[in-house]
Amino acid sequence: MNKLLVSLGLAGIALMLCGCESMKQQTAITAPVAMKIPHAMTLHGVTRTDDYYWLRDDSHSDPQVLDYLQQENAYTAAKLQPFKPLQQQLFKELTARVAAEDSSVPYHWHKHWYYSRYQQGQEYPLLARSSALNGPEQLLLDTNQRAAGHEFYSLGGTSVSPDESLLAFAEDTLSRRIYTVYFKDLHSGQLLADKLTDVDGDVVWSNDGRYVFYIAKDPQTLLGDRVFRHKLGTPQSADVLVYHELDDAYYLDLGKTLDETRIVLTHESTTTSEVSWLDANAPLGEFLAVTPREEGVEYSVAKRGNELYILTNWQAQNFRLMQVNISKASHKANWQSVIPHSPDVLLEDFLLLDDFLVLQTREQGLSHIRIYPDADTTRGYELQFDDAAYVVGLDVNPSQHSRDLRVYYSSPSTPETIYDYQLDFPGRRTLLKQEKVLGGFDAANYRTERLRITARDGTPVPVTLVYRKDKFKRDGTNPLYVYGYGAYGIVIEPAFHDDIISLLDRGVVYAIAHVRGSEMLGRHWYQDGKMLHKQNSFNDFVDVTRGLLQEKYGAAGKVLAAGRSAGGLLMGEVVNQAPELYLAVAAHVPFVDIVTTMLDESIPLTTNEYDEWGNPNDKPYFDYMLSYSPYDNVRHQDYPNLLVTSGLYDSQVQYFEPAKWVAKLREYKTDDHLLLLHVDMSAGHGGKSGRYSSYEDTALEYAFFLGLLGYK
């Protein structure tokens, strides 16, 4: 790295550490300039030259790369120094809304009530249980002690043995989603000698408590491709491989049926799934498929006695619910319809209790929960909710014998609420908890709206809006913040987020553009925003922004936009396509170098993504992906103010994608707007860990946006 870059890095660090510089000194700092080393890549007769390919360092140890990233961080800190008081004020606001002491709603499993709770000032939860509701507490795990000494800490899955004597828990201290599993004796409080390394975050117990099953990760691709059986008291090297997934387009997941008689192994690609299971009382047996995988067919199962209920898209785009005797389940011709397919109703989830069938659906963008006593679909009833836009779903329901149903509910103006519904009495419910929001929050001050904005191809796109009533004028003067994602069928739910109160109370209108690529309006909504239809996602977001301005929900010149991961891809293409619409954009861990990444099978998760984006080894997909890839389409034009964030250890979107993107934008853009890169040198895809420290990232983004809007 040349001496000029090193000197810039030292100057930036000095500015970051010293708060006494004048505004003139801060704004005069020169942006880092990455050196250019041409790297040519030719495929399908097209040669692409990547001048910043050298920024990729899989070891995260190259001094030149680390120095450049530190220079970017120092430059970002220096340029944001004028907003530092605002950032500190925002962080104080955000954390002040969090209840210092809080607890989850206990749930009953076997002989104990289990819950987690926070103590004042602690970043991480305590896991606990009691033998009676509100009885004397037994502390199972203090994750604050476990996190001590680590810059990053994430608790993965936790699982108590069937006799409730042992706790298995998984930890990640590097933010790569590669976990180590430990075992704790809940009587003595001591850790066992057993330790499982390089695994995903969950284990499942055999019913005798002598064995656990876990998924091992490939160290290069980070795919969980092998299932092992571990016998307690033996070394991991002696573990038995019980399944190896040879198709690298599939993810694996382990679980257990609600009646606890089967250990369930789910094999899932973007378009196809398969369920295998093993008798939990015979752990030395083999996993057998419920029905063999069939390309394009997805299904999940629930067991009740000898009955099997199957949620599937087989001959049903929006899924349907089927039923069959377990002995006949392997042949789909034996499956009988319980809830038929509907082109207007997406079947999302279901719960099978002894005397009730619970169905979760999505209709016109909103979730619904229906209860069918004795699984009789002719006499069901629906749970009722009032908000214009909301999210509702099934919470922890650990017993198949229950006659109560626990659900969670929230809306953009209603904090998360947990209810217990008495299923024998339609409509009768008990409020178990509503999230405490401190700092004078009053839900009555805010309004939620649901509307549709017509995209350029005539398609109405759902939009969720929330604003503070006394700050909203509907005259085209309010700042407007638009959030989007649009991939994998994931719905950005209209849920409550206490952090956006800091925007709403300053008069910002907050909007979620439910662009194609999610399942907001059903399975077709997802399919119309993936593969060779991906451009719809980008067009939808731009057209929603324009429509909201036309409807006077926001002011031209005061529009903000944000997205993360695949939503960062959305931001990358939007600023190429319509930069003039936005004052500022935040792209968090953005997937912006899509062609190069999807051609490299050594990068984690690449092969699993072919059914989402396409395989660029095939020319039609290569051409299409190249047409919208943000990195490949950076051009000489003005761009909005940009804040780009990443984590050095990100296993999903590698840090070098946003780093290269920023370097190329610096070379090409024709404006003098802010272009800032912040790389968290100790975190990964999810950002900082800890319930308080995670708000540092939010405060950074909000200070960037609000500072540009002139707020102090």
Side-chain angles (χ1 to χ4, degrees), residues 546-696:
R546 289 185 171 132
L548 291 173
L549 292 177
Q550 290 170 3
E551 295 294 327
K552 299 188 181 302
Y553 282 99
K558 295 183 180 180
V559 182
L560 317 168
R564 83 178 286 115
S565 194
L569 165 66
L570 178 66
M571 294 301 103
E573 172 56 20
V574 162
V575 297
N576 281 339
Q577 178 177 328
E580 74 285 353
L581 280 178
Y582 304 94
L583 168 67
V585 172
H588 301 297
V589 292
F591 180 33
V592 287
D593 190 16
I594 184 170
V595 177
T596 303
T597 291
M598 293 304 295
L599 284 169
D600 190 344
E601 295 185 8
S602 71
I603 293 178
L605 312 182
T606 291
T607 53
N608 294 84
E609 306 284 302
Y610 286 155
D611 290 328
E612 178 70 27
W613 313 103
N615 185 345
N617 290 294
D618 299 330
K619 190 175 188 305
Y621 292 106
F622 174 86
D623 291 341
Y624 190 78
M625 295 162 72
L626 189 60
S627 73
Y628 68 77
S629 171
Y631 185 63
D632 292 290
N633 286 281
V634 171
R635 56 185 68 110
H636 293 288
Q637 64 177 13
D638 286 0
Y639 281 88
N641 295 282
L642 285 167
L643 172 65
V644 182
T645 66
S646 183
L648 182 64
Y649 296 101
D650 194 333
S651 61
Q652 290 180 267
V653 178
Q654 308 289 307
Y655 77 88
F656 46 81
E657 289 199 38
K660 293 194 307 176
W661 184 44
V662 168
K664 189 172 182 179
L665 282 165
R666 282 237 172 81
E667 178 187 356
Y668 278 74
K669 76 190 192 81
T670 55
D671 59 83
D672 58 359
H673 297 146
L674 291 176
L675 173 57
L676 306 177
L677 173 65
H678 175 71
V679 180
D680 191 318
M681 304 302 283
S682 64
H685 198 65
K688 288 181 171 60
S689 60
R691 64 168 176 160
Y692 294 117
S693 59
S694 62
Y695 283 108
E696 293 177 16

Side-chain angles (χ1 to χ4, degrees), residues 5-26:
L5 287 183
V6 173
S7 66
L8 287 174
L10 293 175
I13 292 170
L15 283 170
M16 180 172 61
L17 295 177
C18 179
C20 61
E21 293 82 9
S22 69
M23 182 79 71
K24 182 178 179 181
Q25 288 174 312
Q26 293 158 0

Side-chain angles (χ1 to χ4, degrees), residues 92-308:
K92 185 177 180 180
E93 280 181 26
L94 295 166
T95 54
R97 294 194 190 99
V98 179
E101 296 189 356
D102 197 12
S103 175
S104 66
V105 179
Y107 65 89
H108 191 261
W109 183 74
H110 289 202
K111 297 180 180 180
H112 290 88
W113 292 87
Y114 289 86
Y115 57 97
S116 63
R117 63 181 178 87
Y118 285 97
Q119 290 183 324
Q120 185 168 0
Q122 291 186 335
E123 291 276 12
Y124 301 98
L126 307 175
L127 306 187
R129 71 181 181 185
S130 60
S131 56
L133 188 60
N134 300 319
E137 178 179 276
Q138 179 189 4
L139 181 64
L140 305 182
L141 192 68
D142 183 346
T143 56
N144 297 282
Q145 293 180 359
R146 300 292 302 177
H150 298 289
E151 291 188 58
F152 177 90
Y153 178 86
S154 174
L155 179 68
T158 60
S159 181
V160 176
S161 62
D163 66 359
E164 298 183 280
S165 66
L166 298 172
L167 170 69
F169 61 96
E171 296 178 333
D172 171 18
T173 57
L174 191 60
S175 194
R176 293 282 283 174
R177 302 190 181 185
I178 303 175
Y179 292 87
T180 298
V181 175
Y182 300 89
F183 297 85
K184 183 177 182 180
D185 186 317
L186 296 180
H187 297 308
S188 69
Q190 300 300 308
L191 292 180
L192 305 186
D194 300 67
K195 186 168 70 171
L196 309 176
T197 61
D198 299 328
V199 304
D200 83 350
D202 295 293
V203 302
V204 178
W205 293 87
S206 63
N207 283 349
D208 61 11
R210 298 175 61 198
Y211 300 92
V212 294
F213 292 80
Y214 66 91
I215 299 169
K217 287 199 168 186
D218 181 283
Q220 177 65 42
T221 66
L222 304 188
L223 291 175
D225 59 351
R226 291 155 294 148
V227 179
F228 284 91
R229 182 179 64 236
H230 173 73
K231 183 177 181 180
L232 271 290
T234 65
Q236 186 177 9
S237 60
D239 291 353
V240 177
L241 177 67
V242 296
Y243 181 80
H244 188 191
E245 178 58 65
L246 299 177
D247 189 334
D248 57 12
Y250 282 79
Y251 293 97
L252 299 180
D253 184 64
L254 281 169
K256 218 170 191 180
T257 55
L258 194 58
D259 66 3
E260 301 183 38
T261 64
R262 298 286 191 278
I263 297 171
V264 179
L265 173 61
T266 302
H267 325 244
E268 194 165 21
S269 74
T270 305
T271 60
T272 306
S273 62
E274 180 182 36
V275 176
S276 301
W277 59 12
L278 168 70
D279 188 337
N281 294 305
L284 302 185
E286 296 181 1
F287 282 94
L288 300 175
V290 173
T291 188
R293 68 183 65 171
E294 178 183 335
E295 181 63 33
V297 174
E298 300 175 63
Y299 72 95
S300 59
V301 303
K303 176 181 173 294
R304 184 174 64 183
N306 291 323
E307 295 178 298
L308 196 65

